[in-house]
Amino acid sequence: MAMSRKELVRRWMRKHELSYADFAERLGVSQTSAFYLLNKDSIPEARRAALLALGVPEKLLPEATPRRRKKAVFPCDKPDWKGPRSHAIPQERSA
């Protein structure tokens, strides 16, 4: 029976005497986040690149997901907005 990717990651970590805490420290994240980054089915491209830079073999890493861009939502775009319909940033009055 073939081992899952997660089991292969754990085996690789034991062989190299690494823990999730080691990855957390090097990545600047919590230990829980490090666990999820190594065990999820997909992770952000930047995190995948960081794990590769730390020496984790590419075949052991989850797939990369492209970064999603959120559309800016301005208050003046909302239907119930009562103020001016402009995206301009109001300048403060100087006294």
Side-chain angles (χ1 to χ4, degrees):
M1 184 171 170
M3 276 198 266
S4 70
R5 184 188 57 77
K6 295 171 188 177
E7 282 298 319
L8 292 171
V9 167
R10 289 186 197 106
R11 179 179 272 187
W12 181 85
M13 288 173 61
R14 276 193 304 273
K15 179 180 175 185
H16 291 87
E17 298 179 0
L18 293 168
S19 67
Y20 292 112
D22 295 326
F23 283 105
E25 182 180 334
R26 291 177 178 136
L27 293 170
V29 298
S30 69
Q31 190 171 339
T32 302
S33 294
F35 173 84
Y36 283 116
L37 287 172
L38 289 163
N39 290 292
K40 286 180 76 174
D41 293 328
S42 63
I43 58 175
E45 290 174 339
R47 293 295 189 188
R48 191 172 197 279
L51 289 167
L52 282 170
L54 291 176
V56 180
E58 188 170 6
K59 67 179 182 178
L60 298 181
L61 293 176
E63 289 183 33
T65 54
R67 185 174 179 197
R68 291 184 286 183
R69 302 249 179 210
K70 292 183 180 177
K71 183 180 184 252
V73 177
F74 295 93
C76 60
D77 292 336
K78 295 180 180 177
D80 59 343
W81 176 253
K82 303 285 190 243
R85 294 279 177 197
S86 172
H87 291 237
I89 299 171
Q91 296 201 356
E92 300 224 12
R93 296 181 192 182
S94 57

Coordinates of all heavy atoms in Angstrom, one line a residue:
M1 N 0.8 -1.2 0.0 CA 0.0 0.0 0.0 C 0.9 1.3 0.0 O 1.8 1.4 0.8 CB -0.9 0.0 1.2 CG -1.9 1.1 1.3 SD -3.0 0.8 2.7 CE -3.8 2.3 2.7
A2 N 0.6 2.2 -0.9 CA 1.4 3.4 -1.0 C 1.1 4.4 0.1 O 0.0 4.5 0.6 CB 1.1 4.1 -2.3
M3 N 2.1 5.1 0.6 CA 2.0 6.0 1.7 C 1.4 7.3 1.1 O 1.7 7.7 0.0 CB 3.3 6.3 2.3 CG 3.7 5.3 3.4 SD 5.0 6.0 4.4 CE 6.4 5.3 3.5
S4 N 0.6 8.0 1.9 CA 0.1 9.3 1.5 C 1.2 10.3 1.6 O 2.2 10.2 2.2 CB -1.1 9.7 2.5 OG -0.5 10.0 3.7
R5 N 0.9 11.5 0.9 CA 1.9 12.6 0.9 C 2.1 13.0 2.3 O 3.3 13.3 2.7 CB 1.4 13.7 0.0 CG 2.4 14.9 -0.1 CD 1.8 16.1 -0.8 NE 0.6 16.6 -0.1 CZ 0.7 17.3 1.0 NH1 1.8 17.6 1.6 NH2 -0.5 17.8 1.6
K6 N 1.1 13.0 3.2 CA 1.3 13.5 4.5 C 2.2 12.6 5.3 O 3.0 13.0 6.1 CB -0.1 13.6 5.2 CG -1.0 14.7 4.6 CD -2.4 14.6 5.1 CE -3.2 15.6 4.3 NZ -4.6 15.6 4.7
E7 N 2.1 11.3 5.1 CA 3.0 10.3 5.8 C 4.4 10.5 5.3 O 5.3 10.4 6.0 CB 2.5 8.9 5.5 CG 1.3 8.5 6.4 CD 1.7 8.5 7.9 OE1 2.8 8.1 8.3 OE2 0.9 9.0 8.7
L8 N 4.5 10.7 4.0 CA 5.9 10.9 3.4 C 6.5 12.2 4.0 O 7.7 12.2 4.3 CB 5.8 11.1 1.9 CG 5.4 9.8 1.1 CD1 5.2 10.1 -0.3 CD2 6.5 8.7 1.3
V9 N 5.7 13.2 4.2 CA 6.2 14.5 4.8 C 6.7 14.2 6.3 O 7.8 14.6 6.6 CB 5.1 15.6 4.9 CG1 5.5 16.7 5.8 CG2 4.8 16.1 3.5
R10 N 5.9 13.5 7.0 CA 6.3 13.1 8.4 C 7.6 12.3 8.4 O 8.4 12.5 9.3 CB 5.1 12.4 9.1 CG 4.0 13.3 9.4 CD 2.9 12.6 10.2 NE 1.7 13.4 10.2 CZ 0.6 13.1 9.5 NH1 0.6 11.9 8.8 NH2 -0.4 13.8 9.4
R11 N 7.7 11.3 7.5 CA 8.9 10.5 7.5 C 10.1 11.4 7.1 O 11.1 11.2 7.7 CB 8.7 9.4 6.4 CG 9.9 8.5 6.3 CD 9.6 7.4 5.3 NE 9.0 6.3 6.0 CZ 8.8 5.2 5.4 NH1 9.1 5.0 4.1 NH2 8.3 4.2 6.1
W12 N 9.9 12.3 6.1 CA 11.0 13.2 5.8 C 11.4 14.0 6.9 O 12.6 14.2 7.2 CB 10.6 14.0 4.5 CG 11.7 14.9 4.1 CD1 12.7 14.6 3.2 CD2 11.9 16.3 4.4 NE1 13.5 15.7 3.0 CE2 13.0 16.7 3.7 CE3 11.2 17.1 5.3 CZ2 13.5 18.0 3.9 CZ3 11.7 18.4 5.4 CH2 12.8 18.9 4.7
M13 N 10.5 14.6 7.7 CA 10.8 15.4 8.8 C 11.5 14.6 9.9 O 12.5 15.1 10.5 CB 9.5 16.0 9.4 CG 8.9 17.1 8.5 SD 7.2 17.6 9.1 CE 7.6 18.3 10.7
R14 N 11.1 13.4 10.2 CA 11.8 12.6 11.2 C 13.2 12.3 10.7 O 14.1 12.4 11.5 CB 11.0 11.2 11.4 CG 9.9 11.3 12.4 CD 9.4 9.9 12.8 NE 9.0 9.1 11.7 CZ 7.8 9.1 11.1 NH1 6.9 9.9 11.6 NH2 7.5 8.3 10.1
K15 N 13.4 12.0 9.5 CA 14.7 11.7 8.9 C 15.7 12.9 9.1 O 16.8 12.7 9.4 CB 14.6 11.3 7.5 CG 15.9 11.0 6.8 CD 15.8 10.6 5.4 CE 17.1 10.5 4.7 NZ 17.0 10.2 3.3
H16 N 15.1 14.1 8.9 CA 15.9 15.3 9.0 C 15.8 16.0 10.4 O 16.3 17.1 10.6 CB 15.5 16.3 7.9 CG 15.9 15.8 6.6 ND1 15.1 15.0 5.8 CD2 17.1 16.0 5.9 CE1 15.8 14.7 4.7 NE2 16.9 15.3 4.7
E17 N 15.2 15.3 11.3 CA 15.1 15.8 12.7 C 14.5 17.2 12.8 O 15.0 18.1 13.4 CB 16.4 15.7 13.5 CG 17.0 14.3 13.6 CD 18.3 14.3 14.3 OE1 18.8 15.3 14.7 OE2 18.8 13.1 14.4
L18 N 13.4 17.4 12.0 CA 12.7 18.6 12.0 C 11.3 18.5 12.6 O 10.7 17.4 12.5 CB 12.5 19.1 10.5 CG 13.8 19.5 9.8 CD1 13.6 19.7 8.4 CD2 14.4 20.8 10.5
S19 N 10.8 19.5 13.2 CA 9.5 19.5 13.8 C 8.6 20.6 13.2 O 9.2 21.5 12.5 CB 9.5 19.7 15.3 OG 10.0 21.0 15.6
Y20 N 7.4 20.6 13.5 CA 6.5 21.7 13.0 C 6.9 23.0 13.6 O 6.8 24.1 13.0 CB 5.0 21.4 13.3 CG 4.5 20.3 12.5 CD1 4.2 19.0 13.0 CD2 4.4 20.4 11.1 CE1 3.7 18.0 12.3 CE2 3.9 19.3 10.3 CZ 3.6 18.1 10.9 OH 3.1 17.1 10.1
A21 N 7.4 22.9 14.9 CA 7.9 24.1 15.6 C 9.1 24.7 14.8 O 9.3 26.0 14.7 CB 8.3 23.8 17.0
D22 N 10.0 23.9 14.3 CA 11.1 24.4 13.5 C 10.7 25.1 12.3 O 11.2 26.2 12.0 CB 12.0 23.2 13.0 CG 12.7 22.5 14.2 OD1 13.0 23.1 15.2 OD2 12.9 21.2 14.1
F23 N 9.7 24.6 11.6 CA 9.1 25.2 10.4 C 8.4 26.5 10.8 O 8.6 27.6 10.1 CB 8.2 24.3 9.6 CG 8.9 23.3 8.8 CD1 9.0 22.0 9.2 CD2 9.6 23.7 7.6 CE1 9.7 21.1 8.4 CE2 10.2 22.8 6.8 CZ 10.3 21.4 7.2
A24 N 7.7 26.5 11.9 CA 7.0 27.7 12.3 C 8.0 28.8 12.6 O 7.7 30.0 12.2 CB 6.2 27.4 13.6
E25 N 9.1 28.5 13.3 CA 10.1 29.5 13.6 C 10.7 30.1 12.3 O 10.8 31.3 12.2 CB 11.1 28.9 14.5 CG 12.2 29.9 14.9 CD 13.3 29.3 15.8 OE1 13.0 28.3 16.5 OE2 14.4 29.8 15.8
R26 N 11.0 29.3 11.4 CA 11.7 29.7 10.2 C 10.7 30.5 9.2 O 11.2 31.4 8.5 CB 12.3 28.5 9.4 CG 13.5 28.0 10.2 CD 14.0 26.7 9.5 NE 15.2 26.3 10.2 CZ 15.4 25.0 10.5 NH1 14.6 24.1 10.1 NH2 16.5 24.6 11.2
L27 N 9.5 30.2 9.3 CA 8.5 30.8 8.4 C 7.8 32.0 9.1 O 7.1 32.8 8.4 CB 7.4 29.8 8.0 CG 7.8 28.7 7.1 CD1 6.7 27.7 7.0 CD2 8.2 29.2 5.7
G28 N 8.0 32.1 10.4 CA 7.4 33.3 11.1 C 5.9 33.1 11.3 O 5.2 34.1 11.3
V29 N 5.5 31.9 11.5 CA 4.1 31.6 11.7 C 3.9 30.7 13.0 O 4.9 30.3 13.6 CB 3.4 30.8 10.5 CG1 3.5 31.7 9.2 CG2 4.1 29.5 10.3
S30 N 2.7 30.5 13.3 CA 2.4 29.6 14.5 C 2.7 28.2 14.1 O 2.8 27.8 13.0 CB 1.0 29.7 15.0 OG 0.1 29.2 14.0
Q31 N 2.9 27.3 15.2 CA 3.1 25.9 14.9 C 1.9 25.3 14.2 O 2.1 24.4 13.4 CB 3.4 25.2 16.3 CG 3.9 23.8 16.1 CD 4.4 23.2 17.4 OE1 4.7 24.0 18.4 NE2 4.4 21.9 17.5
T32 N 0.7 25.7 14.6 CA -0.5 25.2 14.0 C -0.5 25.6 12.5 O -0.8 24.7 11.6 CB -1.8 25.8 14.6 OG1 -1.7 25.4 16.0 CG2 -3.0 25.3 14.0
S33 N -0.1 26.8 12.1 CA -0.1 27.2 10.7 C 1.0 26.4 10.0 O 0.7 26.0 8.8 CB 0.3 28.7 10.6 OG -0.7 29.5 11.2
A34 N 2.1 26.1 10.6 CA 3.1 25.3 9.9 C 2.6 23.9 9.6 O 2.8 23.3 8.6 CB 4.4 25.2 10.8
F35 N 1.8 23.3 10.6 CA 1.2 22.0 10.4 C 0.3 22.0 9.2 O 0.4 21.2 8.3 CB 0.5 21.6 11.7 CG -0.3 20.3 11.5 CD1 0.3 19.1 11.7 CD2 -1.7 20.4 11.2 CE1 -0.4 17.9 11.5 CE2 -2.4 19.2 11.0 CZ -1.8 18.0 11.2
Y36 N -0.6 23.0 9.2 CA -1.5 23.1 8.0 C -0.8 23.4 6.7 O -1.2 22.8 5.7 CB -2.6 24.2 8.3 CG -3.6 23.8 9.3 CD1 -3.8 24.4 10.5 CD2 -4.5 22.7 9.0 CE1 -4.7 24.0 11.4 CE2 -5.4 22.3 9.9 CZ -5.5 22.9 11.1 OH -6.5 22.5 12.0
L37 N 0.2 24.2 6.7 CA 0.9 24.4 5.4 C 1.5 23.2 4.9 O 1.6 23.0 3.6 CB 2.0 25.5 5.6 CG 1.6 26.9 5.8 CD1 2.7 27.8 6.2 CD2 0.9 27.4 4.6
L38 N 2.0 22.3 5.7 CA 2.6 21.0 5.3 C 1.6 19.9 5.0 O 1.9 19.0 4.3 CB 3.6 20.6 6.3 CG 4.9 21.4 6.3 CD1 5.7 21.1 7.6 CD2 5.8 21.2 5.1
N39 N 0.4 20.1 5.5 CA -0.6 19.0 5.4 C -1.8 19.2 4.6 O -2.6 18.3 4.3 CB -1.0 18.5 6.8 CG 0.2 17.8 7.5 OD1 0.6 16.7 7.1 ND2 0.7 18.4 8.5
K40 N -2.1 20.5 4.3 CA -3.3 20.8 3.5 C -3.1 20.3 2.0 O -2.0 19.9 1.6 CB -3.5 22.3 3.5 CG -4.0 22.8 4.8 CD -4.3 24.3 4.7 CE -5.5 24.6 3.9 NZ -5.9 26.0 3.9
D41 N -4.2 20.3 1.3 CA -4.2 19.9 -0.1 C -3.6 20.9 -1.0 O -3.1 20.6 -2.1 CB -5.6 19.4 -0.6 CG -6.0 18.2 0.1 OD1 -5.1 17.3 0.5 OD2 -7.2 18.0 0.3
S42 N -3.7 22.2 -0.6 CA -3.2 23.3 -1.4 C -2.8 24.5 -0.5 O -3.5 24.6 0.6 CB -4.2 23.8 -2.5 OG -5.3 24.3 -1.9
I43 N -1.8 25.2 -0.9 CA -1.3 26.4 -0.1 C -1.0 27.5 -1.0 O -0.8 27.3 -2.2 CB -0.1 26.0 0.8 CG1 1.0 25.5 0.0 CG2 -0.5 25.0 1.9 CD1 2.3 25.2 0.7
P44 N -0.9 28.7 -0.5 CA -0.5 29.9 -1.3 C 0.9 29.7 -2.0 O 1.8 29.1 -1.4 CB -0.5 31.0 -0.3 CG -1.4 30.6 0.8 CD -1.2 29.1 0.9
E45 N 1.0 30.3 -3.2 CA 2.2 30.1 -3.9 C 3.4 30.6 -3.1 O 4.5 30.0 -3.1 CB 2.2 31.0 -5.2 CG 1.2 30.4 -6.2 CD 1.1 31.3 -7.4 OE1 1.4 32.6 -7.3 OE2 0.6 30.8 -8.5
A46 N 3.3 31.7 -2.4 CA 4.4 32.3 -1.6 C 4.9 31.4 -0.5 O 6.1 31.2 -0.3 CB 4.0 33.7 -1.1
R47 N 3.9 30.8 0.1 CA 4.3 29.8 1.2 C 4.9 28.6 0.7 O 5.9 28.0 1.2 CB 3.0 29.4 2.0 CG 2.4 30.6 2.8 CD 3.4 31.0 3.9 NE 2.7 32.0 4.8 CZ 3.4 32.7 5.7 NH1 4.7 32.5 5.9 NH2 2.7 33.5 6.4
R48 N 4.5 28.1 -0.5 CA 5.1 26.9 -1.1 C 6.5 27.2 -1.5 O 7.4 26.4 -1.3 CB 4.3 26.5 -2.3 CG 4.7 25.2 -2.9 CD 3.7 24.8 -4.0 NE 3.8 23.4 -4.3 CZ 4.7 22.8 -5.1 NH1 5.6 23.6 -5.7 NH2 4.7 21.5 -5.4
A49 N 6.7 28.4 -2.0 CA 8.1 28.9 -2.4 C 9.0 28.9 -1.2 O 10.2 28.5 -1.2 CB 8.1 30.2 -3.1
A50 N 8.5 29.4 -0.1 CA 9.2 29.5 1.2 C 9.6 28.1 1.7 O 10.8 27.9 2.1 CB 8.4 30.3 2.2
L51 N 8.7 27.2 1.6 CA 9.0 25.8 2.0 C 10.0 25.2 1.1 O 10.9 24.4 1.6 CB 7.7 25.0 2.1 CG 6.8 25.3 3.2 CD1 5.4 24.7 3.0 CD2 7.3 24.9 4.6
L52 N 10.0 25.4 -0.2 CA 11.0 24.9 -1.1 C 12.3 25.5 -0.7 O 13.4 24.8 -0.7 CB 10.6 25.3 -2.5 CG 9.6 24.4 -3.2 CD1 9.2 25.1 -4.5 CD2 10.1 23.0 -3.4
A53 N 12.4 26.8 -0.4 CA 13.6 27.4 0.0 C 14.2 26.9 1.3 O 15.4 26.9 1.5 CB 13.4 29.0 0.1
L54 N 13.4 26.3 2.1 CA 13.8 25.7 3.4 C 14.3 24.3 3.1 O 14.8 23.6 4.0 CB 12.7 25.7 4.4 CG 12.3 27.1 5.0 CD1 11.2 26.9 5.9 CD2 13.5 27.7 5.7
G55 N 14.2 23.8 1.9 CA 14.7 22.5 1.6 C 13.7 21.3 1.5 O 14.1 20.2 1.4
V56 N 12.4 21.6 1.6 CA 11.4 20.6 1.6 C 11.3 20.1 0.1 O 11.2 21.0 -0.8 CB 10.0 21.1 2.1 CG1 9.0 19.9 2.0 CG2 10.1 21.6 3.5
P57 N 11.4 18.9 -0.2 CA 11.3 18.4 -1.6 C 10.0 18.8 -2.2 O 8.9 18.7 -1.6 CB 11.5 16.9 -1.5 CG 12.1 16.6 -0.2 CD 11.7 17.8 0.7
E58 N 10.0 19.2 -3.5 CA 8.8 19.6 -4.2 C 7.7 18.6 -4.2 O 6.5 18.9 -4.0 CB 9.2 20.0 -5.6 CG 8.0 20.7 -6.3 CD 8.5 21.3 -7.7 OE1 9.6 21.1 -8.1 OE2 7.6 21.9 -8.3
K59 N 8.1 17.3 -4.3 CA 7.1 16.3 -4.4 C 6.3 16.1 -3.1 O 5.2 15.5 -3.1 CB 7.7 14.9 -4.9 CG 8.6 14.3 -3.8 CD 9.2 13.0 -4.3 CE 10.1 12.5 -3.2 NZ 10.7 11.2 -3.6
L60 N 6.8 16.6 -2.0 CA 6.2 16.4 -0.7 C 5.2 17.6 -0.4 O 4.5 17.5 0.6 CB 7.2 16.3 0.4 CG 8.2 15.1 0.3 CD1 9.1 15.1 1.5 CD2 7.4 13.8 0.3
L61 N 5.3 18.6 -1.2 CA 4.5 19.8 -0.9 C 3.1 19.8 -1.5 O 3.0 19.2 -2.6 CB 5.3 21.1 -1.3 CG 6.6 21.4 -0.6 CD1 7.2 22.6 -1.2 CD2 6.3 21.7 0.9
P62 N 2.2 20.5 -0.9 CA 0.8 20.6 -1.5 C 0.9 21.4 -2.7 O 1.9 22.2 -3.0 CB 0.0 21.3 -0.4 CG 0.8 21.3 0.8 CD 2.3 21.1 0.4
E63 N -0.1 21.3 -3.6 CA -0.2 22.2 -4.7 C -0.3 23.6 -4.3 O -0.8 24.0 -3.3 CB -1.5 21.8 -5.5 CG -1.4 20.5 -6.2 CD -2.7 20.3 -7.0 OE1 -3.2 21.3 -7.6 OE2 -3.1 19.1 -7.1
A64 N 0.2 24.5 -5.2 CA 0.1 25.9 -5.0 C -1.2 26.5 -5.5 O -1.7 26.1 -6.6 CB 1.3 26.7 -5.6
T65 N -1.8 27.4 -4.8 CA -3.0 28.1 -5.3 C -2.6 29.5 -5.6 O -1.8 30.2 -4.8 CB -4.1 28.1 -4.2 OG1 -3.6 28.7 -3.0 CG2 -4.6 26.8 -4.0
P66 N -3.0 30.1 -6.7 CA -2.7 31.4 -7.1 C -3.3 32.4 -6.1 O -4.3 32.1 -5.5 CB -3.3 31.6 -8.5 CG -4.3 30.6 -8.7 CD -3.9 29.4 -7.7
R67 N -2.6 33.5 -6.0 CA -3.1 34.6 -5.0 C -4.4 35.2 -5.6 O -4.5 35.6 -6.7 CB -2.1 35.6 -4.9 CG -2.4 36.7 -3.9 CD -1.3 37.6 -3.6 NE -1.8 38.6 -2.7 CZ -1.2 39.8 -2.5 NH1 -0.1 40.1 -3.2 NH2 -1.6 40.6 -1.6
R68 N -5.4 35.3 -4.7 CA -6.7 35.9 -5.1 C -6.6 37.3 -4.8 O -6.2 37.7 -3.7 CB -7.8 35.2 -4.4 CG -8.1 33.8 -4.9 CD -9.3 33.2 -4.2 NE -8.9 32.9 -2.8 CZ -9.7 32.4 -2.0 NH1 -10.9 32.0 -2.3 NH2 -9.3 32.1 -0.7
R69 N -7.1 38.1 -5.7 CA -7.1 39.6 -5.5 C -8.6 39.9 -5.2 O -9.5 39.5 -5.8 CB -6.7 40.3 -6.8 CG -5.3 40.0 -7.2 CD -4.5 41.1 -7.0 NE -3.1 40.8 -7.4 CZ -2.1 41.3 -6.9 NH1 -2.2 42.2 -6.0 NH2 -0.9 40.9 -7.3
K70 N -8.7 40.7 -4.1 CA -10.0 41.1 -3.7 C -10.3 42.5 -4.3 O -9.4 43.3 -4.4 CB -10.1 41.3 -2.2 CG -10.0 40.0 -1.4 CD -10.1 40.2 0.0 CE -10.1 38.8 0.8 NZ -10.1 39.0 2.2
K71 N -11.5 42.7 -4.8 CA -11.9 43.9 -5.3 C -12.2 44.9 -4.2 O -12.8 44.6 -3.2 CB -13.2 43.7 -6.2 CG -13.7 45.0 -6.8 CD -14.9 44.8 -7.6 CE -15.2 46.1 -8.4 NZ -16.4 46.8 -7.9
A72 N -11.6 46.1 -4.3 CA -11.8 47.1 -3.3 C -13.3 47.5 -3.3 O -14.0 47.7 -4.3 CB -11.0 48.3 -3.6
V73 N -13.8 47.6 -2.1 CA -15.2 48.1 -1.9 C -15.2 49.4 -1.2 O -14.7 49.5 -0.1 CB -16.0 47.0 -1.1 CG1 -17.4 47.5 -0.9 CG2 -16.0 45.7 -1.8
F74 N -15.7 50.4 -1.9 CA -15.7 51.7 -1.3 C -17.1 52.0 -0.8 O -18.1 51.5 -1.3 CB -15.4 52.8 -2.4 CG -14.0 52.7 -2.9 CD1 -13.7 51.9 -4.0 CD2 -12.9 53.3 -2.2 CE1 -12.4 51.8 -4.5 CE2 -11.7 53.2 -2.7 CZ -11.4 52.5 -3.8
P75 N -17.2 52.7 0.3 CA -18.5 53.0 0.9 C -19.5 53.7 -0.1 O -20.6 53.4 -0.1 CB -18.2 54.0 2.1 CG -16.8 53.7 2.4 CD -16.1 53.3 1.1
C76 N -18.9 54.5 -1.0 CA -19.8 55.2 -1.9 C -20.3 54.3 -3.0 O -21.2 54.7 -3.8 CB -19.0 56.4 -2.6 SG -17.6 55.9 -3.5
D77 N -19.8 53.1 -3.1 CA -20.4 52.1 -4.0 C -21.5 51.3 -3.5 O -22.2 50.6 -4.2 CB -19.3 51.1 -4.5 CG -18.2 51.8 -5.3 OD1 -18.5 52.8 -5.9 OD2 -17.1 51.3 -5.3
K78 N -21.8 51.4 -2.2 CA -22.9 50.7 -1.6 C -24.2 51.4 -1.8 O -24.3 52.6 -1.8 CB -22.6 50.5 -0.1 CG -21.4 49.7 0.2 CD -21.2 49.6 1.7 CE -19.9 48.7 2.0 NZ -19.6 48.6 3.4
P79 N -25.2 50.6 -2.1 CA -26.5 51.2 -2.4 C -27.1 52.1 -1.3 O -27.8 53.1 -1.6 CB -27.5 50.0 -2.7 CG -26.6 48.8 -2.5 CD -25.3 49.2 -2.1
D80 N -26.8 51.8 -0.1 CA -27.4 52.6 1.0 C -26.5 53.8 1.4 O -26.8 54.5 2.4 CB -27.7 51.8 2.2 CG -26.5 51.0 2.7 OD1 -25.5 51.0 2.0 OD2 -26.6 50.6 3.9
W81 N -25.5 54.1 0.7 CA -24.6 55.2 1.0 C -25.3 56.6 0.8 O -25.9 56.8 -0.2 CB -23.3 55.1 0.1 CG -22.4 56.2 0.3 CD1 -22.1 57.3 -0.5 CD2 -21.5 56.4 1.4 NE1 -21.2 58.1 -0.1 CE2 -20.7 57.6 1.2 CE3 -21.2 55.8 2.6 CZ2 -19.8 58.1 2.0 CZ3 -20.3 56.2 3.5 CH2 -19.6 57.4 3.2
K82 N -25.2 57.4 1.9 CA -25.8 58.7 1.9 C -24.9 59.9 1.5 O -25.3 61.0 1.3 CB -26.5 59.0 3.2 CG -27.4 57.9 3.7 CD -28.7 58.1 2.9 CE -29.8 57.2 3.5 NZ -30.3 56.1 2.7
G83 N -23.6 59.6 1.5 CA -22.6 60.7 1.3 C -22.4 60.9 -0.2 O -23.1 60.5 -1.0
P84 N -21.3 61.7 -0.5 CA -21.0 62.0 -1.9 C -20.6 60.8 -2.6 O -20.0 59.8 -2.1 CB -19.8 63.0 -1.8 CG -19.2 62.8 -0.4 CD -20.4 62.3 0.5
R85 N -20.9 60.7 -3.9 CA -20.5 59.6 -4.8 C -19.2 59.7 -5.4 O -19.1 59.9 -6.6 CB -21.6 59.4 -5.9 CG -22.9 59.0 -5.3 CD -23.0 57.6 -5.1 NE -24.3 57.2 -4.5 CZ -24.5 56.1 -3.8 NH1 -23.5 55.2 -3.7 NH2 -25.6 55.8 -3.3
S86 N -18.1 59.7 -4.6 CA -16.8 59.9 -5.1 C -15.8 59.0 -4.4 O -16.0 58.7 -3.3 CB -16.4 61.4 -4.9 OG -15.0 61.6 -5.2
H87 N -14.8 58.6 -5.2 CA -13.8 57.7 -4.6 C -12.6 58.6 -4.1 O -11.6 58.1 -3.6 CB -13.2 56.7 -5.6 CG -14.2 55.7 -6.0 ND1 -14.0 54.4 -5.9 CD2 -15.5 55.8 -6.5 CE1 -15.0 53.7 -6.3 NE2 -16.0 54.5 -6.6
A88 N -12.7 59.9 -4.2 CA -11.7 60.8 -3.8 C -11.6 60.8 -2.3 O -12.6 60.7 -1.6 CB -11.9 62.2 -4.3
I89 N -10.4 60.8 -1.8 CA -10.1 60.9 -0.3 C -10.3 62.3 0.1 O -9.6 63.2 -0.4 CB -8.7 60.3 0.0 CG1 -8.6 58.9 -0.4 CG2 -8.5 60.5 1.5 CD1 -7.2 58.3 -0.3
P90 N -11.2 62.6 1.0 CA -11.4 64.0 1.5 C -10.2 64.5 2.2 O -9.6 63.8 3.0 CB -12.6 63.9 2.4 CG -12.9 62.5 2.6 CD -12.1 61.7 1.7
Q91 N -9.9 65.7 1.9 CA -8.7 66.4 2.5 C -9.2 67.0 3.8 O -10.3 67.6 3.9 CB -8.1 67.4 1.6 CG -7.5 66.8 0.4 CD -6.5 67.7 -0.3 OE1 -6.3 68.8 0.1 NE2 -5.9 67.2 -1.3
E92 N -8.3 66.9 4.8 CA -8.7 67.5 6.1 C -8.6 69.0 6.0 O -7.7 69.6 5.4 CB -7.7 66.9 7.2 CG -7.8 65.5 7.2 CD -7.8 65.0 8.7 OE1 -7.9 65.8 9.6 OE2 -7.6 63.8 8.8
R93 N -9.5 69.7 6.8 CA -9.4 71.1 6.8 C -8.4 71.6 7.8 O -8.2 71.0 8.9 CB -10.8 71.7 7.3 CG -11.9 71.3 6.3 CD -13.2 71.9 6.8 NE -14.2 71.4 6.0 CZ -15.5 71.7 6.2 NH1 -15.8 72.6 7.1 NH2 -16.4 71.2 5.4
S94 N -7.6 72.5 7.3 CA -6.5 73.0 8.2 C -7.0 74.3 8.8 O -7.5 75.2 8.1 CB -5.2 73.2 7.5 OG -5.4 74.0 6.4
A95 N -6.7 74.5 10.1 CA -7.2 75.8 10.7 C -6.0 76.7 10.9 O -4.9 76.5 10.9 CB -7.8 75.4 12.1

